[in-house]
Structures are given as C-alpha cells and as structure tokens.
Amino acid sequence: MLRKHGVVGKFVEFYGEGMSELSLADRATIANMSPEYGATMGFFPVDRVTLQYLKLTGRSDDKVALIESYLRANRMFVDYNEPQVERVYSSYLELNLNEVEPCISGPKRPHDRVTLKEMKVDWHACLDNRVGFKGFAVPKESQNKVVEFTFHGTPAQLRHGDVVIAAITSCTNTSNPSVMLGAALVAKKACELGLEVKPWIKTSLAPGSGVVTKYLQKSGLQQYLNQLGFHIVGYGCTTCIGNSGDIDDAVASAITENDIVAAAVLSGNRNFEGRVHPLTRANYLASPPLVVAYALAGTVDIDFETEPIGLGKDGKKIFFRDIWPSNEEVAEVVQSNVLPHMFMATYEAITKGNPMWNQLSVPDGTLYAWDPKSTYIHEPPYFKDMTMSPPGAHGVKNAYCLLNFGDSITTDHISPAGSIHKDSPAAKYLLERGVDRRDFNSYGSRRGNDEIMARGTFANIRLVNKFLKGEVGPKTIHIPTGEKLSVFDAAMRYKSEGHATIILAGAEYGSGSSRDWAAKGPMLLGVKAVIAKSFERIHRSNLVGMGIIPLCFKTGEDADTLGLTGEERYTIDLPSSVGEIKPGQDVTVVTDNGKSFVCTLRFDTEVELAYFDHGGILQYVIRNLIKS
C-alpha cells in the first residue's frame, strides 16, 4: 500500500485507534521494514505498550517513569484514554487491520507480495511467464516433470517449486516473540500429528537474539523445532545473506542436471536473485511459522486451503489449519515465557564478551598494523596520493560504458553478497594466495579486503547486462576489442588503458539494502558516473559519497528511446568550480557519434557538492579532521 502511494524520501508515522492493539514487536517489525516500502523511516508514537516493553526488557521503574515524564512534557506520548487530536500530515492512508491477510513475497524481489490463498496460482503463472521478476519461462511440457535421485541411499524425487532450503533467519522477524513462539507451536502441532520434513531440505534457525533461545527453551518448544531440523545454528546473518553453505551434492546435481527451479523459503528481508543460494532460483520471504509450514509441505506449489500438507502418523491427511496456532495460544505462551530476567541476563553476558574473543592476541599501539598477507583485512586505497587540496569539480571525458542495464538493478546485483563463486575473479585472487576453496567463506566476512570486494562488484550470477544479448551472468564486453570478460577484468583493462567508464541503467537503480560496497566497488572499478531513469534514495547518496556522478534521464527518456547502444563514448560537461554547480541542474551529455541529450544532475544538496569537490565523503572528512 505504501509503495503504491509512493513514500520514497518521506517519514511515515503510524497512528490511529488500532495502534493500541499492536504489540511492540509487531511495530518494530513494520518500522524496521521501511526499506521495503521505500520510506526514509517508519515510526510509531510512544504509548503504554512501549513502556511495558521497556519494563519487560529489564529497565528499572525509575528509568521508565523518567522516560514517560519527558515524553509527556514534550507532547510526544500518546494516551488512548484521552481524547485524540487530529494530526496534520502531508497525506493520509487508512489500513483496516481486519483486512490484513497472510502473505509471502517473491520469487525474486521482497516487494512482490503474494497472498497465501493465491500462491499456487501465482507460482504456476511464474513458471509460464517469460524470464523476469515474476517469471521462469519453463516450457509447459516440462512443468510437471519429476526427477528421481538417490539421497544417502534412499530414493527421492524433485519437482519445480520443491523447497530445498527452509530457514528462520536472523532478521527483525526473529526478535519478535509472537512469530518465534508461533513457529515453535506450529512445529509442536506438526510433530504431535506425525508430520516430518524431508531430510534433503536444509533447515536452520538463527535467532536475532540470545533471548530467543532462552524463551524457546523455557517454553519447552525448542525440542519440536529440533525434531523438524530447525536447530539453532548461530545468531548472525545466515541464509538471508547467502551463508547457508552448500546443499547436499545429490540434491545439487538433481537441480543442475535437470534445470529444476528449486525454492528457498526464509524469514529474512531480501530475496534477490543469486543472493540466497546459487541453486535456488525461486526464493520466498515468509514469517517464521510459514517457513516451518512450507518446510513440512516440501513445496511452494501448494494451496494451503484445499491441499493437505502431508500425512499424519495414522495416514490421515493433515491440513494447514490443523497445525496453525490461534492468536490466543500464541499470546498465552508469550505471556508465560518471555520474562524480564532473560533480557537482563543476555545483556549482562554481552558486556562480558566471550572467551574466544577475550583471548585474542591484540598488539599494542594506537595505529592498526596492516598485515600484507591477510586475505580478510587489507589497507584500502582511498587515501593513496591524497593531498590537502581538494581536486575540485570535474566532468567525464570520452568514457566507455562498462555495463548497460535495464530496470531494478539492486545493490545485490552491484555489491558482492553471499558465497564466493569458484570461477569468479575473487576466487582466483584467493587461490593465488593459497586459500583453499573450502575456506573461501563469504564476501560479507571478507568485506575488510578491498581487493576481494572490488573483484566481487557486479559478480552476481543473475546479472542481466544488455551487452550480452540475453546471456545472464557477471560478464561484459570490452568495447574497443569486443572481448567478453568478467566485469572486474574489463574494468581493470579500461583503467590500465587510461579510460574512464560510466554505467547506463533504467529505473530504481540501487534498490535493496543500502550497502556501502555497492558504491565503493564501482568507484574502485573506475566508474565515474551512472546515468539512470531513477535511483533508490540511499544508493544515490552513497554514489555521491564515493565521488561518482549520478545523472537522471529526463522524464520519458532512457537509453533505448535515445537510441543509445552503450557502445558509444560519453562526455559529461560540468563546470570546473563547485560554486558554479547547482543541485538538480541540467547537464548535457555528448557521445562520440554525435548524439546529445540533457540529464538532471542528482547532486541534491550543497553538502553533496562539497563531498564531490573533495573527491568523496572519506576525503572530505579526513581533510576536515586534519584542519581541525
């Protein structure tokens, strides 16, 4: 609803009489999902529910009383027992909580919402549709094929839509007691009825807090999650960022050799292509209880209303409704098992650290001692050859186009995330330094090494680059020679030849997580400008922070309407002084084949212009620190 209305760059406040019925955990989930609806932030006013949560999480009565007094004095506290004053906003939307339906999202983007009752129909539409955000283009005659394989000596089958990864992941959902205990209640009911999860489905549970472990154990419900394979694997980012690890070789072979569209269901907040696992082309985001339900069903190709999830121990058909707990059941188990002392004990342990951390050898000195042999932490080149004088404003002259994109290129396509592919430039770099493939780890764990992160930039296996004429993958064309190279190798070739590069893109360039490496990586590759139909707000700002010029095509125009192939060379004229540049001004772009078009310069504030004058925010900060 918020996406349809358009809230990019806006603050969204939730208010109204229904507010008093929402738990704080539900409010936190909705507020934290502001990137999903595109807002700068989403927030809920403070009321009694907030104060109760502060007490639950171990704050003293005196502290809570002080907070309430402060908020009331500043007219920031909402008391639903008092007459409500109508507030003035720039626009209003109304949501009836009674009309909210269970849903999941996918198969390739977090904002492609599918109601549970429409899931089976939507899945079959995705199989039919041409390749895209909602399509896999599976031929009709192949959609019902059954692949026979052997799993550890046992005959097994795999179909399109079968779940091979089911993960309750360490995101906002997993700090919400109602959904975590709700998932455990689903597991309990399923176990009591005799349902099981197929052994080849990779199941895991990574809570968002150590408190979750405490209340799952106190309630006695963790044993049922364990029985279904949802053992606690850790408390950090896991499957959502591609850290699920390999799936079983037999399952992987069945998928790859038969071109099966396998599915992952996870309670994370990102499901862009290539992120969760290279072999799961369909990735659905769901609440923790639904993750358990889909793991039990073993497929996303199911109508929970009319089709059974499986057979119970007596051979009786078990339906979704048979394992779904009521709101009252969930509320009761939350009330009796989520207690203040759990939070206090967990917080206390955090301040003490853990033995492994405390036993690390730490060298003396105020400066970090760079280890040239380290493949995890490397001294970045941001300040190499930096002078105290800012380089000043600069345009781009005769740049080649490194990549030519369509719409919805996400930060997952740009910034490295998840596992390091064995044939990638990053893998080659690690192998050359004696790192065994099993020790590659992930891009996230090696984000302190710019050499690896630069090699991983635009290394997404599902990258769609118009230069490749329909081929999918992290490659591009080196325009002067026509050679097909990895994006990193092409970028390094351009840099060695002394050529700047730009990127052409469609709408919503840089949507998704606002990862810093989505801007740092292109800068290290030598990208000087991005010309797009539109940008995601934070990513545009991050590009400016790295000294990259963001430009928007004029309304109704894009690379295709202007007849740009990307094989041209591009010159962007900017005044030589930042003082002559104004936020949002028109800029002319000229190509070497005589085309000329006007773009909007997306430096949106005077502060951003100051960053650009210094070559980026890092240099700006360093120069100001030295001056002061």
Side-chain angles (χ1 to χ4, degrees):
M1 194 171 93
L2 288 164
R3 274 190 169 274
K4 187 175 179 181
H5 180 73
V7 293
V8 173
K10 292 181 168 60
F11 283 29
V12 176
E13 180 174 354
F14 298 92
Y15 77 108
E17 58 188 69
M19 276 279 301
S20 60
E21 302 301 318
L22 276 180
S23 73
L24 186 129
D26 288 342
R27 299 178 192 183
T29 301
I30 294 165
N32 195 60
M33 292 297 104
S34 58
E36 308 307 317
Y37 39 90
T40 298
M41 68 178 290
F43 68 99
F44 290 78
V46 179
D47 58 16
R48 287 284 174 200
V49 175
T50 320
L51 300 181
Q52 288 164 7
Y53 180 80
L54 291 173
K55 290 180 180 179
L56 171 67
T57 51
R59 276 70 172 188
S60 69
D61 289 344
D62 288 345
K63 175 71 70 67
V64 175
L66 175 64
I67 291 169
E68 181 179 357
S69 298
Y70 175 86
L71 292 167
R72 283 185 180 278
N74 286 281
R75 298 182 182 180
M76 294 163 65
F77 188 86
V78 177
D79 191 332
Y80 296 103
N81 294 320
E82 298 173 357
Q84 298 300 297
V85 178
E86 187 64 30
R87 293 162 177 78
V88 179
Y89 301 101
S90 57
S91 56
Y92 302 79
L93 296 172
E94 186 171 329
L95 172 66
N96 186 338
L97 293 176
N98 287 327
E99 295 173 2
V100 174
E101 295 183 72
C103 66
I104 61 177
S105 69
K108 303 181 184 183
R109 296 191 299 183
H111 50 280
D112 288 333
R113 177 178 171 271
V114 188
T115 58
L116 218 54
K117 65 185 180 185
E118 295 170 347
M119 181 57 196
K120 189 179 180 75
V121 172
D122 191 81
W123 170 252
H124 283 275
C126 287
L127 290 179
D128 286 331
N129 293 344
R130 63 185 179 85
V131 174
F133 297 122
K134 294 289 286 186
F136 298 104
V138 177
K140 282 281 187 189
E141 63 274 14
S142 302
Q143 290 183 9
N144 296 317
K145 73 176 173 183
V146 179
V147 174
E148 307 278 349
F149 70 102
T150 302
F151 180 79
H152 295 197
T154 304
Q157 294 181 333
L158 206 61
R159 298 174 175 82
H160 292 301
D162 277 5
V163 175
V164 296
I165 293 176
I168 300 173
T169 57
S170 181
C171 295
T172 315
N173 269 328
T174 52
S175 290
N176 185 331
S178 62
V179 293
M180 291 305 292
L181 288 165
L185 285 171
V186 170
K188 180 176 185 287
K189 289 173 182 284
C191 290
E192 289 171 345
L193 291 167
L195 291 177
E196 296 178 345
V197 174
K198 292 182 178 69
W200 57 83
I201 298 177
K202 190 159 194 173
T203 46
S204 61
L205 166 60
S209 165
V211 176
V212 179
T213 300
K214 288 182 170 62
Y215 62 63
L216 282 174
Q217 289 174 341
K218 182 182 185 303
S219 66
L221 294 172
Q222 181 64 55
Q223 61 175 310
Y224 301 107
L225 287 165
N226 290 348
Q227 193 173 323
L228 296 182
F230 288 94
H231 297 271
I232 292 175
V233 297
Y235 298 93
C237 289
T238 53
T239 304
C240 185
I241 194 64
N243 289 342
S244 66
D246 293 333
I247 56 177
D248 188 88
D249 287 343
V251 180
S253 296
I255 294 170
T256 54
E257 292 169 11
N258 298 279
D259 200 23
I260 289 291
V261 183
V265 182
L266 59 150
S267 64
N269 56 16
R270 297 284 182 271
N271 59 337
F272 299 117
E273 289 182 288
R275 176 182 177 117
V276 174
H277 194 282
L279 297 183
T280 57
R281 285 156 63 192
N283 299 286
Y284 285 94
L285 304 181
S287 66
L290 282 176
V291 171
V292 177
Y294 274 107
L296 290 162
T299 181
V300 297
D301 185 7
I302 184 172
D303 180 349
F304 279 143
E305 186 66 32
T306 61
E307 296 178 276
I309 280 181
L311 299 178
K313 50 194 169 188
D314 56 0
K316 181 184 173 186
K317 291 179 180 177
I318 306 298
F319 288 84
F320 180 79
R321 54 183 171 271
D322 299 324
I323 62 170
W324 200 254
S326 66
N327 289 341
E328 291 72 27
E329 285 178 282
V330 174
E332 184 181 340
V333 76
V334 169
Q335 188 73 32
S336 55
N337 293 288
V338 184
L339 305 171
H341 74 82
M342 296 177 176
F343 292 88
M344 288 185 275
T346 302
Y347 297 157
E348 187 179 327
I350 288 171
T351 60
K352 292 177 180 175
N354 64 59
M356 286 179 67
W357 178 261
N358 293 336
Q359 288 165 19
L360 286 175
S361 174
V362 183
D364 293 330
T366 55
L367 295 178
Y368 185 80
W370 300 103
D371 179 359
K373 297 191 186 73
S374 174
T375 55
Y376 277 95
I377 300 177
H378 181 262
E379 184 175 9
Y382 308 129
F383 309 114
K384 190 177 179 183
D385 301 326
M386 178 181 149
T387 62
M388 276 303 293
S389 300
H394 55 276
V396 179
K397 190 170 181 61
N398 283 330
Y400 283 101
C401 180
L402 180 64
L403 293 151
N404 188 359
F405 291 132
D407 295 341
S408 293
I409 291 295
T410 71
T411 51
D412 267 36
H413 292 112
I414 307 167
S415 167
S419 59
I420 297 172
H421 194 273
K422 62 183 176 63
D423 298 322
S424 65
K428 182 182 176 186
Y429 174 88
L430 289 169
L431 289 170
E432 287 172 349
R433 281 150 186 81
V435 179
D436 192 86
R437 189 189 161 197
R438 66 183 178 183
D439 296 323
F440 278 4
N441 213 322
S442 64
Y443 283 113
S445 68
R446 294 184 181 275
R447 60 182 293 117
N449 188 323
D450 59 281
E451 295 280 4
I452 289 173
M453 299 303 277
R455 284 164 171 77
T457 302
F458 297 112
N460 188 294
I461 60 170
R462 300 291 174 193
L463 194 71
V464 177
N465 174 13
K466 291 180 184 178
F467 285 150
L468 299 185
K469 315 291 185 191
E471 182 184 337
V472 175
K475 303 274 188 181
T476 195
I477 302 298
H478 179 251
I479 302 299
T481 62
E483 280 186 81
K484 183 165 69 174
L485 303 169
S486 73
V487 177
F488 175 78
D489 288 341
M492 293 304 102
R493 178 88 63 88
Y494 283 126
K495 283 186 83 169
S496 68
E497 295 165 347
H499 300 309
T501 54
I502 64 145
I503 289 171
L504 293 176
E508 298 179 335
Y509 183 79
S511 56
S513 310
S514 56
R515 290 203 297 272
D516 56 335
W517 274 109
K520 288 179 182 174
M523 183 271 287
L524 291 175
L525 295 186
V527 174
K528 302 301 181 186
V530 178
I531 310 175
K533 286 177 71 175
S534 63
F535 291 92
E536 191 280 332
R537 181 184 58 85
I538 300 175
H539 182 63
R540 182 207 58 79
S541 177
N542 288 348
L543 289 175
V544 175
M546 286 295 110
I548 296 173
I549 304 168
L551 295 167
C552 277
F553 290 109
K554 289 296 183 181
T555 303
E557 294 183 347
D558 59 22
D560 292 337
T561 62
L562 292 168
L564 303 173
T565 65
E567 295 177 7
E568 307 87 354
R569 298 185 72 173
Y570 295 80
T571 294
I572 302 165
D573 282 322
L574 288 183
S576 57
S577 168
V578 166
E580 298 175 46
I581 303 175
K582 301 299 177 193
Q585 76 176 53
D586 284 350
V587 169
T588 301
V589 181
V590 179
T591 66
D592 63 334
N593 62 355
K595 289 185 183 293
S596 176
F597 55 97
V598 176
C599 290
T600 302
L601 183 63
R602 289 299 310 277
F603 293 131
D604 290 358
T605 65
E606 296 291 341
V607 172
E608 289 185 347
L609 284 170
Y611 295 160
F612 183 61
D613 185 49
H614 280 260
I617 188 171
L618 300 175
Q619 293 83 351
Y620 172 86
V621 169
I622 289 292
R623 289 189 180 102
N624 279 296
L625 280 173
I626 294 172
K627 281 179 185 176
S628 61

